Amino acid sequence: KKKLRNERLRRENRLALMARAQRWLKLAGLGAALFVALLLGGLLYLRSQALPAATVSQTSQLLDIRGNVIDTFHTGENRSSVPLSEISPYAVQATLAIEDKRFYKHFGFDMRGMARAVLVNVESLSKRQGASTLTQQLARNLYLTHARTWTRKLREAAYTAKLEMSYSKDEILTLYMNQIYYGHGAYGIEAAAQRYFGKKAAELSLAEGAMLAGVPKGPKYYSPYLNMKNAKDRQRIILNEMAAGGVITKAEADAAFQEVLAFKPASGGDMGGFAPFFRDYVRQVAIERIGIEELLLNEGGIRIYTTLDPEAQRAAEAAIRDGFPSDSEQQAALIAVDPRTGYIKAMVGGRDYKANQYNRVFAKTRQPGSSFKPVVYLTALESGGMTPLTKFKSEPTVFTYDEGRKTYEPRNYNDKYANEEIDMRQAIASSDNIYAVNTVMAAGPDKVIEMARRLGIESPMKPVPSLALGTFPVSPFEMASAFGTIANAGVRAEPTAIVRIEDRNGRILYEAERSEKRVVDAAHAYVLTRLMQSVFEPGGTASRVAAMIKRPVAGKTGTTANDAWLVGYTPELAVAVWVGYDKNRSITPVEAHRAAPIFAGFMDQALAAVPPKLFPMPEGVISLFVDPGTGKAAAASCPNRRLETFVAGTEPTEICGEHDDAADGEARDGAAARERESWWADLKRWWQR
């Protein structure tokens, strides 16, 4: 009986155990089902939810007229995003080799990598290896802080899963390569390639790609600028990992490690650099005139295509740099505009941008002096009351104005007077002040101001006799624009610095429209141009630098007690050069003479590759030989002859010399005479300089 009782107890115990086991299995099944349901629900929930907005700024670029980047705008994060196809495969493979070998094999979480990291860390009793995948790093960098909390880790896991569900592996890798920090303000592989090697990400070599792939682990510790040994050690590890993974051979890894890399010099900031005054001006125009938001400019990855000609800019900077002794405190400004388009080709606002960022190109505090006289003479020619042969006596003169209530007594430079009657060409060449004031009185100061406005000069002026001598301040920018209008046969092209602006996707945000308007008759502009060429001919105020300019050029010098100018143009460039002191300190004759060599040196270098061109003669212009003494047309027998240009209908009709058919024909056939003598002689002289 006892044996049967024990057998029954054992059977009851087995049944009880089996019953409990069945209950646990049911509970486990329910738990597993619940877990799967929760997992699926969570995944479905994640799929239905949008990722939080990632504010990844991109560096905006400033490009010259040839498409070269001359500057970047950013607020601490220098970043330029590029597609995966525009990143060197070496840089991509190096990054995967050191950061996430199994990137294309896992779904955001590398379980094998986690287990390996745990084993290594347990064995070493330290955290020697991390196990974050590229997707986890991207989720953390895009959406989270680096705080070590369970909440952050859970959110990181959720965002990692969402990224894997939302993007392909290549898209995730592209995001990562464009987001990671490479030190020294460079975010993303494109900015890093430019920062360290001065090249595009697509051009990185194996050695360069492996070097950059090692920096994100510790930008301060592995930067080649800060610790070359650490950087090379890290590069060696990456190359070995690439060789171990079969990406490259051991020989290729060794050769890449031995390669001497050419790093760009570490810069100390954005001060100075190439065309700094122009860069500041473009930024101002983009924000204040075009209406580009500053946040978009600094972080939006936009591209600003400008009119700057790099060769002209280099010539301008060199001309200013070489135009002064090293110990001089004198300042300078230069602005060059293409008169045909209004495009600003070069701009230098001072001698040392790092010391002083004030752009003197736009300073409306400088008197243009005699460089303003062409505005007066153009007004007089247009009025029809004066021609190149109109004469006034060059002698000390007292002028009355304001209905006789006021007087004005100008003086010539160094009190030098011809003490005889001179014509307009002589007055322009010698910069005679008496002739200029006589002209403004004849043409009318109000009409001169109106002409200045048409030419693009907006600075305040008063209708007084001293207006003729440039006593009212005008900026170099306005002077270059005005002279550019004359050079462009009387058509004013609005000065332009920005051609177009594109967003990061290439969509056009702004495109400049050509703004051209005829403000002066072409014939009058051409006659004035021919007169202003005498400034660079023997006896002219700029004749000493004429040999430096191997092409036709017109212009006008200007000198006041505090300022010196040379403003002039060729068919391709209108240029204003100013020299002086910021605090209106008086300048010496030697200091005043620095403007002309700067102008000539710039013109020579900026147009070195451009063949010389004559100013095109428009319709309505007549050239003929005249006798300067009598103002008559000069026949072949006239002893004194000078080729002069007139607006048709204003040329002299009386003839100097014997009156015969041959003489009359030569005198009246101005165009043929110009072809036979002046054109050929001028061209030979320009080519022989």
Side-chain angles (χ1 to χ4, degrees):
K1 291 181 180 179
K2 185 176 181 181
K3 184 176 182 181
L4 289 173
R5 187 169 55 255
N6 290 339
E7 182 64 28
R8 187 173 62 254
L9 288 173
R10 283 195 294 270
R11 186 168 61 251
E12 289 174 352
N13 288 336
R14 282 198 299 271
L15 291 173
L17 287 173
M18 290 177 64
R20 284 198 295 269
Q22 288 177 345
R23 286 197 300 272
W24 279 109
L25 285 173
K26 288 181 180 180
L27 289 174
L30 289 172
L34 181 61
F35 175 77
V36 171
L38 289 173
L39 180 62
L40 290 174
L43 291 174
L44 289 172
Y45 175 77
L46 284 174
R47 180 175 288 277
S48 67
Q49 297 299 305
L51 284 163
T55 56
V56 179
S57 66
Q58 288 194 34
T59 300
S60 297
Q61 295 180 330
L62 193 73
L63 301 97
D64 64 27
I65 200 166
R66 299 180 185 177
N68 302 312
V69 177
I70 57 177
D71 193 20
T72 57
F73 299 129
H74 54 86
T75 52
E77 293 191 10
N78 179 12
R79 185 196 312 276
S80 298
S81 294
V82 291
L84 196 62
S85 60
E86 294 181 17
I87 302 175
S88 165
Y90 294 124
V92 174
Q93 292 161 356
T95 300
L96 292 175
I98 195 64
E99 295 291 345
D100 194 347
K101 297 183 184 67
R102 291 172 41 79
F103 174 72
Y104 283 98
K105 297 179 181 179
H106 61 66
F107 297 97
F109 305 94
D110 186 3
M111 301 304 176
R112 186 186 300 179
M114 290 181 181
R116 183 177 61 253
V118 170
L119 288 175
V120 171
N121 294 336
V122 168
E123 289 178 359
S124 62
L125 298 178
S126 65
K127 193 174 180 180
R128 291 176 55 184
Q129 279 198 10
S132 292
T133 64
L134 290 190
T135 314
Q136 288 175 279
Q137 294 180 48
L138 181 63
R140 183 164 59 247
N141 292 333
L142 285 178
Y143 311 119
L144 301 166
T145 68
H146 289 259
R148 296 183 177 182
T149 64
W150 283 108
T151 301
R152 196 272 294 166
K153 290 182 181 295
L154 289 173
R155 293 176 65 191
E156 178 186 306
Y159 293 146
T160 298
K162 179 60 180 174
L163 282 170
E164 289 283 345
M165 286 188 287
S166 302
Y167 298 101
S168 68
K169 284 292 188 179
D170 282 352
E171 289 173 331
I172 293 173
L173 183 57
T174 301
L175 287 169
Y176 179 86
M177 296 295 291
N178 284 302
Q179 191 276 336
I180 199 68
Y181 183 52
Y182 287 87
H184 302 281
Y187 286 78
I189 189 65
E190 179 72 11
Q194 293 286 353
R195 177 65 188 84
Y196 287 92
F197 301 111
K199 59 174 60 175
K200 296 180 179 179
E203 301 168 346
L204 291 171
S205 67
L206 171 59
E208 292 165 341
M211 174 62 72
L212 290 183
V215 177
K217 177 74 172 179
K220 293 184 178 180
Y221 190 73
Y222 294 113
S223 165
Y225 292 133
L226 303 177
N227 195 320
M228 181 58 76
K229 182 182 183 304
N230 288 348
K232 288 297 290 182
D233 289 345
R234 181 76 170 164
Q235 181 197 41
R236 165 63 87 182
I237 292 172
I238 293 171
L239 290 168
N240 289 341
E241 289 289 339
M242 293 175 73
V247 177
I248 59 174
T249 65
K250 186 65 169 64
E252 288 174 325
D254 293 339
F257 181 73
Q258 296 299 327
E259 183 179 330
V260 178
L261 300 180
F263 293 98
K264 282 183 62 178
S267 63
D270 295 331
M271 297 291 286
F274 188 62
F277 292 100
F278 180 80
R279 287 162 17 207
D280 285 354
Y281 175 64
V282 167
R283 183 185 183 93
Q284 177 186 348
V285 170
I287 294 174
E288 297 181 6
R289 295 189 193 175
I290 298 176
I292 298 297
E293 293 184 3
E294 193 161 4
L295 183 65
L296 179 62
L297 181 66
N298 290 330
E299 302 181 13
I302 64 175
R303 287 191 168 195
I304 303 177
Y305 293 85
T306 74
T307 61
L308 188 78
D309 183 326
E311 294 302 322
Q313 181 63 30
R314 277 188 278 270
E317 294 182 0
I320 296 291
R321 182 181 62 250
D322 299 339
F324 300 88
S326 59
D327 59 347
S328 173
E329 296 180 1
Q330 196 174 5
Q331 275 297 344
L334 185 154
I335 171 75
V337 179
D338 186 333
R340 301 162 296 185
T341 61
Y343 285 3
I344 299 173
K345 297 289 189 174
M347 179 186 292
V348 180
R351 292 179 58 199
D352 188 350
Y353 180 85
K354 292 182 180 180
N356 190 327
Q357 292 81 54
Y358 177 58
N359 193 341
R360 296 156 188 85
V361 163
F362 299 97
K364 294 187 176 182
T365 57
R366 319 308 310 199
Q367 293 181 338
S370 293
S371 66
F372 183 78
K373 290 176 181 176
V375 180
V376 178
Y377 295 131
L378 184 57
T379 307
L381 291 170
E382 187 183 67
S383 70
M386 292 181 64
T387 76
L389 295 178
T390 300
K391 293 188 175 184
F392 293 111
K393 191 170 185 179
S394 173
E395 63 179 1
T397 306
V398 177
F399 296 88
T400 60
Y401 65 103
D402 192 17
E403 298 181 350
R405 290 189 291 267
K406 296 179 181 179
T407 61
Y408 178 58
E409 189 174 0
R411 298 168 59 184
N412 276 353
Y413 185 69
N414 285 337
D415 286 325
K416 291 184 178 180
Y417 303 91
N419 291 313
E420 62 180 7
E421 288 191 333
I422 60 174
D423 59 29
M424 192 177 292
R425 181 174 292 277
Q426 293 169 298
I428 290 175
S430 63
S431 198
D432 192 277
N433 288 340
I434 306 303
Y435 190 100
V437 177
N438 271 303
T439 302
V440 79
M441 299 298 285
D446 288 311
K447 290 187 176 181
V448 172
I449 294 175
E450 190 268 335
M451 174 63 75
R453 299 292 181 250
R454 283 154 56 189
L455 294 175
I457 297 175
E458 300 177 352
S459 296
M461 298 176 182
K462 294 181 180 179
V464 294
S466 64
L467 174 67
L469 307 187
T471 54
F472 295 98
V474 177
S475 71
F477 181 82
E478 292 174 299
M479 292 297 289
S481 176
F483 276 52
T485 302
I486 303 171
N488 197 32
V491 176
R492 172 168 165 75
E494 189 69 26
T496 302
I498 299 175
V499 178
R500 72 180 185 279
I501 301 176
E502 297 178 357
D503 67 12
R504 67 176 69 183
N505 298 315
R507 184 172 61 91
I508 295 177
L509 302 177
Y510 165 82
E511 191 162 20
E513 296 181 359
R514 290 285 293 272
S515 176
E516 297 180 352
K517 180 181 179 182
R518 177 165 294 284
V519 297
V520 176
D521 181 71
H524 292 111
Y526 180 80
V527 169
L528 179 62
T529 293
R530 292 289 292 167
L531 291 169
M532 291 168 65
Q533 287 183 266
S534 63
V535 171
F536 295 91
E537 295 171 355
T541 54
S543 60
R544 64 192 181 91
V545 299
M548 298 174 62
I549 309 174
K550 306 174 181 64
R551 61 188 63 244
V553 59
K556 188 69 189 73
T557 58
T559 306
T560 71
N562 304 314
D563 308 283
W565 300 69
L566 204 165
V567 188
Y569 52 88
T570 67
E572 305 87 1
L573 278 181
V575 180
V577 173
W578 166 86
V579 298
Y581 289 94
D582 287 337
K583 296 182 179 180
N584 283 332
R585 171 178 149 190
S586 297
I587 57 175
T588 66
V590 171
E591 292 171 332
H593 287 161
R594 288 171 180 157
I598 291 173
F599 176 92
F602 167 73
M603 281 291 197
D604 180 49
Q605 291 300 313
L607 298 174
V610 179
K613 296 177 184 176
L614 294 169
F615 292 101
M617 178 186 287
E619 294 183 1
V621 172
I622 290 178
S623 292
L624 75 161
F625 288 100
V626 299
D627 174 19
T630 64
K632 298 178 180 180
S637 59
C638 186
N640 297 315
R641 300 197 315 163
R642 183 183 84 200
L643 186 67
E644 194 55 83
T645 305
F646 301 89
V647 175
T650 67
E651 73 275 13
T653 55
E654 292 186 66
I655 298 176
C656 165
E658 293 185 15
H659 187 79
D660 56 41
D661 292 340
D664 292 349
E666 182 182 0
R668 292 192 178 94
D669 192 6
R674 181 178 183 278
E675 286 290 332
R676 287 196 303 272
E677 296 190 27
S678 176
W679 186 90
W680 181 244
D682 287 348
L683 195 59
K684 286 195 299 183
R685 184 174 73 254
W686 290 317
W687 272 110
Q688 291 170 354
R689 286 177 181 172

